[in-house]
Amino acid sequence: MSRIETLIASMTLAEKLGQMTMTAASFTVTGPVIAGDSTASIRSGEIGNLLNMVGPGPVHEIQRLAVEQSRLKIPLLIGLDIIHGHRSLFPVPLAEAGIFDPLLWEATAREAASEGAADGLALTFAPMLDVSRDPRWGRTVEGSGEDSFLAVEMAAAKVRGFQGPTLAAADALAACAKHFVAYAPVLAGREYASVDISERTLHEVHLPPFEAAVRAGVATVMPAFTDLAGIPMTAHTALLRDWLRGRTGFEGVIISDYNAIRELLNHGVAADLPQAAALALHAGVDVDMMADAYRHGLPIALERGLVSMDQIDMAVRRVLRLKEQLGLFDDPYGRCHRHETEATIARRRALARKVGAQSLVLLKNDHNVLPFRTPLKSLAVIGPLADAAVEMRGPWPAAGVAENHVSVLAGMRAALPDAKVAHAAGVSIEEDDTSGIPAAVALVDQADSILLCLGEAAVMSGEAASRAHLGLPGAQAALATAVLTRAHFLGKPCAVLLFSGRPLAVPELVDQSEALIAAWFPGCEAGSAIADVVLGKVSPSGRTVICWPRSVGQIPIFYGERRTGRPANPSDKFTSKYLDSPNEPLFAFGHGLTYGAFRYSNLRLTPQAIDVRGTLQVQVDLTNEGARTACETVLVFTHDVVATVSPPLLRLAGFGRLELPPGKTGTVSIAVPAQRLQFLGTDLSPVFESGVAEILVGPRANRADLLVGTVLMQGG
Ligand code: BGC
């Protein structure tokens, strides 16, 4: 018998339920082990998995309880939300996605994994694969934006990065594809609210990233808190058991979200804890995170005949198998012993700086305000986000501490050792007090150039951070008006850095500013990365992966909406439009300027006719007509001219990047497998229909900015 089967055969029910339970050791980075009541339960084998603990010392100490003092000596599986870095934070996922570089996405996850593993962890609850088309929803920041294809690409890269070539390696983390599935379209963008979307949207938009994660070998999956058309995901047999396990062949561990099994009572689908536990187990949930519903509910559910011991054994088997794959049985302390060298940490921070700079999105740059002309003699760094190292972490800081983060002010001071760099916050992030504005405006008079740092606090996005208004919080709009008006009056270059975990609806700010960068939350090297870009060492190249609405009333707004029978027509009232707003977003998906100026020409598509097995080669020439070297991201969209199902206006099918010095021309080649031209037919299975497909190539999801060619699709 294998090790796992031998173990299962010798386990008591309590020990089995222990392997199906994950509980929190209070989060600790440097402090002592805080396992509280868990200590006794770990020794007795009644807790087999932990979340939220960090550090080789504490992890080693608690692992010892399981491995040396419990009857069966089964190691603990210990996890933490390492979303975009562990101690060294990289830009938030929404920002990183806009770099459109799978190798880089993989590299940051690899670094995060090895840093987390060196801290004793074996599991991260990432990547988050929720496709969000509603920036009111705070968790938009944790994902890759509005596009499903991008989420698919990012899912695969992140799983490869976190897990590495083998899970058994001491620097690998088991990844967790979450939140399964369709959590983002919560009603009106309100966190944890009910979800009700079509089968087609589910299969077309929300499921593909999870399929990609499974293909990439993701070790675990977490169901969403939410219900889908009345069935809570934690109990969704059709999607968890039949689709995820049955259809994609996922054999890994399904871990509930925090307390989600108990919340089945609140959803109104279970009368008591045993019933809730039985529902989750039936659906295929192996591990109960924080509800203690399996330990308390399943013994009664067994007595009532609601579940069988075979089902319990199956869940235990999956958990033990994962622990075995992670090498925990062979070397339970393998992830606690490694000391990271200074060189490793320096290399990681250099990567954070590079990725940080690349993730900045230059939304606007009238009169080439940016980069600032150097040398600068004086600079005013104004605003509540200017000296805010703690905010640069974003809403999921893992073990990243503020002292380890470079604020904008610190970054600019380091980059300009000979300049006078003055600072005033002007206002706080959220309060209405405007008394500090005059002092901030006074700095404008004394400086050559001004950087105005505005936006959200990190906690205003992420979990439980839905917003109904997407403007600048507090009195920041007043500060912006005062500073920008003064700078304009004096003719001084002023650039706005806007920090946020989502696109904001700030048309006035966009109007008032000449140069505007969406900085999101750039991570530990925020200030250095920003200095690199505003001083021209690096040309910005990030793109927004979610469109920026003009107002909350436009939401949900995304580039892939379907055609309508009455397309907007300004001279016809009875067409699809608003009376009081344009239809278009302020900035389209893909928007982001560089310090170059790229002209697209000579679109070539080969072959001109393809069947579903073929691959389309898309080539386009780029000429950098600007004065600086820059990197351009090229997006390839498709659009079926006629299909049995009304097609989206545009569908992303590929992307590529090219760096060019001024005056040079180069070619970008992007391969698009014909399968990406498939869509879900009337019965929701993939079809490749004969007909004409438009292939549209350019910088952003705006037809006027795209070159258009056509290919003939030869369906079978
Ligand atoms: C979140 C998950 C997270 C878990 C553990 C939950 O509240 O929804 O995304 O992985 O907590 O921290």
Side-chain angles (χ1 to χ4, degrees):
M1 243 199 308
S2 71
R3 165 162 56 194
I4 289 176
E5 294 309 320
T6 310
L7 272 175
I8 292 176
S10 63
M11 287 168 98
T12 63
L13 176 60
E15 284 166 335
K16 289 178 183 175
L17 299 179
Q19 293 305 310
M20 296 166 67
T21 296
M22 177 176 276
T23 188
S26 306
F27 184 89
T28 167
V29 178
T30 49
V33 177
I34 312 171
D37 297 332
S38 313
T39 312
S41 309
I42 292 169
R43 280 206 190 92
S44 65
E46 287 166 283
I47 286 180
N49 312 284
L50 291 176
L51 80 154
N52 291 358
M53 106 170 291
V54 176
V59 167
H60 190 282
E61 208 170 310
I62 207 148
Q63 189 64 286
R64 225 163 46 84
L65 301 179
V67 174
E68 293 171 29
Q69 297 178 24
S70 75
R71 186 177 79 90
L72 295 173
K73 311 198 176 338
I74 301 173
L76 295 163
L77 172 64
I78 304 177
L80 179 74
D81 292 88
I82 297 176
I83 309 293
H84 54 102
H86 177 58
R87 288 178 190 269
S88 315
L89 296 173
F90 297 101
V92 290
L94 189 66
E96 204 195 7
I99 303 176
F100 285 90
D101 185 344
L103 290 177
L104 217 96
W105 297 334
E106 182 175 339
T108 55
R110 191 82 291 282
E111 287 296 335
S114 61
E115 199 175 40
D119 249 349
L121 298 159
L123 165 70
T124 175
F125 305 110
M128 189 192 91
L129 306 178
D130 298 302
V131 175
S132 172
R133 294 166 169 192
D134 192 334
R136 291 173 298 185
W137 188 53
R139 304 199 80 166
T140 300
V141 67
E142 295 175 54
S144 61
E146 72 178 57
D147 185 69
S148 180
F149 173 65
L150 198 54
V152 162
E153 295 290 296
M154 195 136 159
K158 287 294 175 196
V159 172
R160 284 195 303 269
F162 284 129
Q163 299 194 167
T166 162
L167 274 183
D171 65 355
L173 295 183
C176 179
K178 73 184 191 187
H179 305 87
F180 186 81
V181 60
Y183 177 8
V186 280
L187 189 68
R190 179 165 35 84
E191 183 66 304
Y192 312 130
S194 182
V195 174
D196 204 341
I197 57 168
S198 74
E199 282 277 301
R200 178 173 302 280
T201 299
L202 175 68
H203 285 271
E204 226 168 53
V205 176
H206 298 283
L207 285 172
F210 287 92
E211 190 166 1
V214 173
R215 285 226 185 95
V218 74
T220 76
V221 171
M222 181 188 290
F225 283 126
T226 37
D227 76 286
L228 181 55
I231 317 289
M233 287 312 309
T234 306
H236 210 303
T237 308
L239 282 169
L240 286 176
R241 194 191 62 194
D242 302 345
W243 188 87
L244 182 64
R245 293 224 190 268
R247 211 101 151 246
T248 73
F250 176 66
E251 290 178 348
V253 175
I254 299 181
I255 305 177
S256 86
D257 205 344
Y258 205 100
N259 198 38
I261 301 182
R262 190 177 291 268
E263 288 167 20
L264 291 175
L265 298 164
N266 294 347
H267 278 286
V269 298
D272 57 17
L273 209 56
Q275 201 191 347
L279 281 173
L281 188 63
H282 274 302
V285 177
D286 303 304
V287 174
D288 166 2
M289 181 196 282
M290 289 307 288
D292 231 355
Y294 277 177
R295 291 202 308 173
H296 294 113
L298 285 182
I300 301 167
L302 265 173
E303 273 167 28
R304 287 191 200 157
L306 295 175
V307 297
S308 70
M309 192 60 88
D310 275 356
Q311 287 178 299
I312 290 175
D313 286 351
M314 187 58 93
V316 173
R317 191 170 289 119
R318 291 198 194 99
V319 174
L320 296 180
R321 212 192 297 142
L322 175 58
K323 291 184 176 185
E324 189 166 64
Q325 287 164 351
L326 283 163
L328 289 169
F329 282 104
D330 299 325
D331 186 2
Y333 308 114
R335 288 179 176 77
C336 304
H337 283 309
R338 289 173 322 114
H339 279 293
E340 298 209 294
T341 61
E342 299 267 316
T344 303
I345 295 166
R347 197 202 55 225
R348 187 174 295 133
R349 289 197 71 109
L351 179 64
R353 181 169 182 160
K354 174 177 155 191
V355 181
Q358 289 191 10
S359 70
L360 303 177
V361 181
L362 182 60
L363 292 171
K364 189 175 172 187
N365 195 20
D366 289 355
H367 318 301
N368 291 330
V369 163
L370 287 174
F372 286 148
R373 311 289 172 269
T374 45
L376 274 186
K377 285 212 281 304
S378 59
L379 175 74
V381 186
I382 298 174
L385 272 302
D387 190 16
V390 70
E391 307 297 343
M392 301 297 108
R393 305 182 308 167
W396 268 119
V401 290
E403 303 79 75
N404 213 9
H405 283 65
V406 183
S407 69
V408 180
L409 184 60
M412 294 312 298
R413 286 200 166 133
L416 297 168
D418 301 324
K420 181 170 172 275
V421 180
H423 163 65
V427 296
S428 76
I429 296 177
E430 287 190 75
E431 286 158 21
D432 291 331
D433 180 1
T434 54
S435 57
I437 293 181
V441 175
L443 294 186
V444 175
D445 292 46
Q446 296 153 25
D448 289 346
S449 299
I450 300 101
L451 256 188
L452 181 56
C453 307
L454 307 171
E456 297 182 316
V459 293
M460 296 178 75
S461 63
E463 187 175 350
S466 291
R467 293 185 66 198
H469 303 282
L470 295 180
L472 283 172
Q476 293 187 62
L479 174 70
T481 302
V483 169
L484 290 165
T485 310
R486 187 70 189 158
H488 190 68
F489 175 76
L490 296 173
K492 294 195 175 176
C494 176
V496 178
L497 288 166
L498 187 57
F499 296 86
S500 62
R502 50 163 69 84
L504 298 178
V506 284
E508 298 81 13
L509 179 70
V510 173
D511 231 32
Q512 289 169 336
S513 23
E514 288 186 316
L516 176 64
I517 290 179
W520 317 106
F521 295 111
C524 64
E525 287 288 343
S528 332
I530 286 165
D532 288 345
V533 166
V534 301
L535 298 176
K537 220 164 118 190
V538 176
S539 164
S541 57
R543 301 299 187 82
T544 179
V545 290
I546 178 164
C547 60
W548 287 59
R550 291 165 197 274
S551 65
V552 171
Q554 288 183 307
I555 297 169
I557 178 169
F558 53 98
Y559 80 84
E561 74 170 271
R562 287 186 203 288
R563 280 155 60 169
T564 150
R566 295 188 173 190
N569 175 353
S571 52
D572 185 350
K573 178 167 200 283
F574 295 95
T575 57
S576 177
K577 58 185 193 294
Y578 298 103
L579 292 177
D580 52 2
S581 164
N583 285 1
E584 293 72 33
L586 207 48
F587 298 112
F589 171 91
H591 178 72
L593 306 171
T594 69
Y595 291 156
F598 290 91
R599 185 165 56 80
Y600 287 65
S601 63
N602 198 16
L603 174 63
R604 284 98 76 198
L605 305 173
T606 42
Q608 303 226 306
I610 45 166
D611 64 27
V612 68
R613 290 173 303 277
T615 296
L616 183 67
Q617 294 298 336
V618 178
Q619 290 186 303
V620 68
D621 293 343
L622 296 185
T623 305
N624 184 354
E625 295 179 337
R628 290 171 167 269
T629 297
C631 181
E632 175 78 352
T633 299
V634 175
L635 305 181
V636 178
F637 297 95
T638 67
H639 174 246
D640 299 297
V641 176
V642 177
T644 45
V645 177
S646 175
L649 292 166
L650 295 170
R651 271 203 289 166
L652 185 67
F655 50 80
R657 288 160 62 87
L658 182 67
E659 186 173 274
L660 282 178
K664 290 281 183 256
T665 297
T667 302
V668 176
S669 302
I670 299 166
V672 178
Q675 281 178 353
R676 291 202 196 129
L677 291 162
Q678 285 183 317
F679 62 90
L680 300 181
T682 43
D683 66 351
L684 295 185
S685 52
V687 290
F688 186 81
E689 288 185 347
S690 295
V692 174
E694 286 181 326
I695 307 294
L696 306 97
V697 180
R700 62 182 76 77
N702 179 16
R703 203 169 247 275
D705 295 323
L706 300 168
L707 296 182
V708 188
T710 55
V711 286
L712 202 61
M713 297 186 295
Q714 297 171 319

